[in-house]
């Protein structure tokens, strides 16, 4: 689960991680008011979307307008907010379609001496949180990793013990922090590392982490995502969720207890089991097709869930054919067919449908399909199914 910059900064502040002062606004008038409230000679108006690269991003409706701007007066704050609110911001991370901005964060302008990069992710190999840092801030870490991998510092730490003093010194040395900033680092880095573990984060990225003229470290930008599997431990995070930032079908699927991820292709997939879903996608690709989604109905899906699954797949207008691949274990093949036939009647399936069934009650299920009188293509095994569904597209 991702959250907005202003939400991440509010959480940082509660964990005593220093952030600039800021005000959340949703109207140009309030942006002006926020400028006055902050009382700094310069303020920064920042678009709140779940994507980075806003500073370099531009609005579709106002090609000159950046997603993050420095303003020096109340009037300037209002004028920028007017262009930003309700408009669509396109950045390297949003894709061409961009994202509509409905909230702004107005922040005090800081006296920036240095911009650093700091992030924490989970390293799967060691199973530990890993700090990724660099003295080269402001730049995309992916580019830096390609061009100057030697400039990236990696430090793993024990989430139970927290970041140790010797690790902070190592980090401060590698980031070439001066005396004043080193002092600030002794509290900044351990607090952030604790924040990461306490909140079950999957990623924290601060780009840039700045050193101010007076040697203080501050999180100037903040990107935080949480591990969805740990959300039951953080019920209070529910209110941080911004559904308008999520793929509507993925939200619907989540509510129905289905695992669904939208993809770019045109073959809809309805499968039980994540492993089978992955191999189904692989086989579709192997035979020249492109999956439109990953969808795992799970081991114990009922008729309602399967109907919802069909509805979600078919609501994607890119879907030109559907492949149902079921291995009946706990889930019985006849349950799937029952749901499939019900869905057929309820929503009307107009694209070619290829079904491959195997496992518990497969005989009954096949007979139900054959007796249904519906236009359904059956397949004997996975390869056959993949070939048949790809063939429907060229037919
Ligand atoms: P993004 O990464 O989405 O482009 P950032 O929050 O990193 O957004 O902001 C882009 C740039 O704007 C920063 O690299 C920094 O130079 C400048 N900036 C952002 N917030 C402030 C601030 N409070 N004071 C001064 N400059 C800022
Ligand atoms: Mg940034």
């Amino acid at each position: 689960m991702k959250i907005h910059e202003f939400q991440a900064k509010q959480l940082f502040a509660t964990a005593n991680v220093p952030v600039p002062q800021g005000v959340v606004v949703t109207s140009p008038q309030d942006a002006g008011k926020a400028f006055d409230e902050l009382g700094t000679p310069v303020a920064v108006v920042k678009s709140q979307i779940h994507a980075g690269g806003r500073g370099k991003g531009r609005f579709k409706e106002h090609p000159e307008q950046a997603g993050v701007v420095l303003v020096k007066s109340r009037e300037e704050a209002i004028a920028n907010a007017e262009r930003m609110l309700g408009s669509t911001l396109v950045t390297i991370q949003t894709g061409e379609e961009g994202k509509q901005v409905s909230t702004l964060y107005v922040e005090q302008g800081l006296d920036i001496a240095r911009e650093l990069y700091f992030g924490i992710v989970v390293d799967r190999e060691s199973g530990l949180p890993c700090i990724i840092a660099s003295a080269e801030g402001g730049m995309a870490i992916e580019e830096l990793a390609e061009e100057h991998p030697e400039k990236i510092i990696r430090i793993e730490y024990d989430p139970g013990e927290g970041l140790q003093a010797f690790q902070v010194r190592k980090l401060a040395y590698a980031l070439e922090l001066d005396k004043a900033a080193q002092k600030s680092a002794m509290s900044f880095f351990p607090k952030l590392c604790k924040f990461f573990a306490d909140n079950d984060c999957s990623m924290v990225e601060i780009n840039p982490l700045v050193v101010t003229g007076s040697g203080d470290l501050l999180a100037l930008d903040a990107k935080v995502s949480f591990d969805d599997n740990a959300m039951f431990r953080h019920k209070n995070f529910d209110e941080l969720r911004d559904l308008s930032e999520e793929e509507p079908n993925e939200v619907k699927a989540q509510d129905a207890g289905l695992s669904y991820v939208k993809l770019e292709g045109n073959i809809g997939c309805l499968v039980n089991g994540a492993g089978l879903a992955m191999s189904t996608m692989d086989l579709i690709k192997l035979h020249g097709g492109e999956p439109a989604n990953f969808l795992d109905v799970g081991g114990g899906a009922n008729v309602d869930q399967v109907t919802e699954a069909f509805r979600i797949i078919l609501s994607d207008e890119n879907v030109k054919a559907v492949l149902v691949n079921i291995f009946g274990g706990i889930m019985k093949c006849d349950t799937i067919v029952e749901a499939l036939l019900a869905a057929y009647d309820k929503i009307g399936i107009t694209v070619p449908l290829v079904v491959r069934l195997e496992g518990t009650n497969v005989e009954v299920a096949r007979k139900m399909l054959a007796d249904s009188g519906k236009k359904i293509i059956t397949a004997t095994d996975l390869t056959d199914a993949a070939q048949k569904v790809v063939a429907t597209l060229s037919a």
Side-chain angles (χ1 to χ4, degrees):
M1 176 181 131
K2 292 183 184 169
I3 59 173
H4 287 295
E5 174 197 8
F6 76 89
Q7 296 169 320
K9 284 179 168 168
Q10 281 162 357
L11 293 176
F12 282 179
T14 6
N16 292 316
V17 173
V19 289
Q21 294 282 336
V23 185
V24 185
V25 302
T26 51
S27 77
Q29 287 316 312
D30 284 349
K33 236 192 253 166
F35 182 90
D36 290 342
E37 263 172 50
L38 290 168
T40 44
V42 177
V44 187
V45 182
K46 311 181 79 173
S47 309
Q48 297 301 294
I49 53 169
H50 284 185
R54 297 162 300 165
K56 293 202 177 96
R58 294 292 181 269
F59 286 86
K60 275 191 181 165
E61 298 81 353
H62 310 279
E64 303 290 309
Q65 177 72 41
V68 172
V69 274
L70 290 181
V71 294
K72 296 199 174 101
S73 68
R74 175 196 175 91
E75 291 69 33
E76 239 188 292
I78 295 175
N80 277 281
E82 267 170 358
R83 287 188 292 269
M84 294 159 93
L85 286 166
S87 304
T88 315
L89 180 59
V90 180
T91 80
I92 42 164
Q93 291 184 12
T94 60
E96 267 172 48
E97 68 274 24
K99 283 207 165 151
Q100 197 177 37
V101 175
S102 55
T103 306
L104 300 172
Y105 196 47
V106 185
E107 212 173 55
Q108 63 177 137
L110 286 185
D111 161 27
I112 303 174
R114 291 185 62 199
E115 294 199 345
L116 313 169
Y117 178 92
F118 183 88
I120 312 175
V121 288
V122 179
D123 184 292
R124 285 174 181 250
E125 239 165 78
S126 60
L128 290 173
C130 178
I131 292 174
I132 297 181
S134 176
E136 308 277 323
M139 184 171 168
I141 195 73
E142 295 85 354
E143 276 171 41
L144 191 65
E146 255 183 40
E147 289 161 30
H148 292 288
E150 77 286 353
K151 291 190 178 166
I152 295 179
I153 308 149
R154 288 174 51 109
I155 299 177
E156 287 170 358
Y157 68 95
D158 183 318
E161 300 286 328
L163 194 69
Q164 302 297 299
F166 78 92
Q167 293 174 306
V168 182
R169 281 196 291 272
K170 192 170 149 191
L171 190 58
Y173 180 78
L175 291 173
E176 298 161 32
L177 298 183
D178 62 18
K179 264 255 148 55
Q182 281 171 24
K183 191 157 170 262
S184 184
M186 287 315 279
S187 114
F188 188 94
F189 293 126
K191 280 190 180 133
L192 206 55
C193 287
K194 183 170 172 352
F195 174 89
F196 185 89
D198 287 351
N199 294 292
D200 291 303
C201 297
S202 53
M203 188 204 62
V204 165
E205 186 184 55
I206 301 176
N207 188 22
L209 160 66
V210 299
V211 184
T212 63
S214 46
D216 293 315
L217 287 176
L218 259 100
L220 200 70
D221 193 1
K223 226 172 164 189
V224 168
S225 47
F226 302 111
D227 181 345
D228 289 337
N229 295 317
M231 284 306 94
F232 70 96
R233 291 208 287 221
H234 306 280
K235 294 273 184 269
N236 52 325
F237 287 174
D238 269 356
E239 63 192 49
L240 299 176
R241 207 165 154 197
D242 182 350
L243 292 179
S244 71
E245 288 276 349
E246 297 179 29
E247 173 68 36
N249 272 339
E250 289 179 14
V251 176
K252 267 191 223 153
Q254 233 170 39
D255 291 343
L258 308 163
S259 310
Y260 170 88
V261 181
K262 185 176 157 35
L263 301 168
E264 308 294 308
N266 55 7
I267 300 177
C269 306
L270 189 155
V271 188
N272 68 330
L276 193 58
M278 298 290 273
S279 38
T280 303
M281 297 194 313
D282 279 349
L283 269 152
I284 287 176
K285 272 186 120 64
L286 182 71
H287 293 288
E290 286 291 335
N293 65 274
F294 168 97
L295 194 151
D296 169 16
V297 295
N302 57 35
V303 174
D304 289 340
Q305 280 173 301
V306 176
T307 309
E308 186 60 18
F310 268 113
R311 193 169 289 145
I312 290 169
I313 291 177
L314 295 169
S315 71
D316 176 356
E317 55 193 28
N318 292 335
V319 169
K320 299 288 180 269
V322 176
L323 171 56
V324 175
N325 185 20
I326 299 297
F327 184 78
I330 300 170
M331 156 85 83
K332 298 183 188 72
C333 292
D334 54 328
T335 306
I336 280 285
V337 171
E338 190 190 331
L340 193 151
L341 296 176
Y344 213 114
D345 290 334
K346 251 192 215 162
I347 33 189
I349 300 176
T350 50
V351 295
L353 179 62
V354 178
V355 179
R356 179 258 176 169
L357 301 165
E358 202 51 80
T360 311
N361 290 0
V362 67
E363 300 305 335
V364 190
R366 285 198 183 131
K367 187 163 180 332
M368 283 164 74
L369 274 184
D371 295 348
S372 72
K374 300 208 157 52
K375 246 183 92 181
I376 295 172
I377 305 165
T378 53
T380 50
D381 59 30
L382 196 38
T383 297
D384 186 36
Q387 283 167 343
K388 278 182 175 155
V389 76
V390 173
T392 63
L393 297 177
S394 49

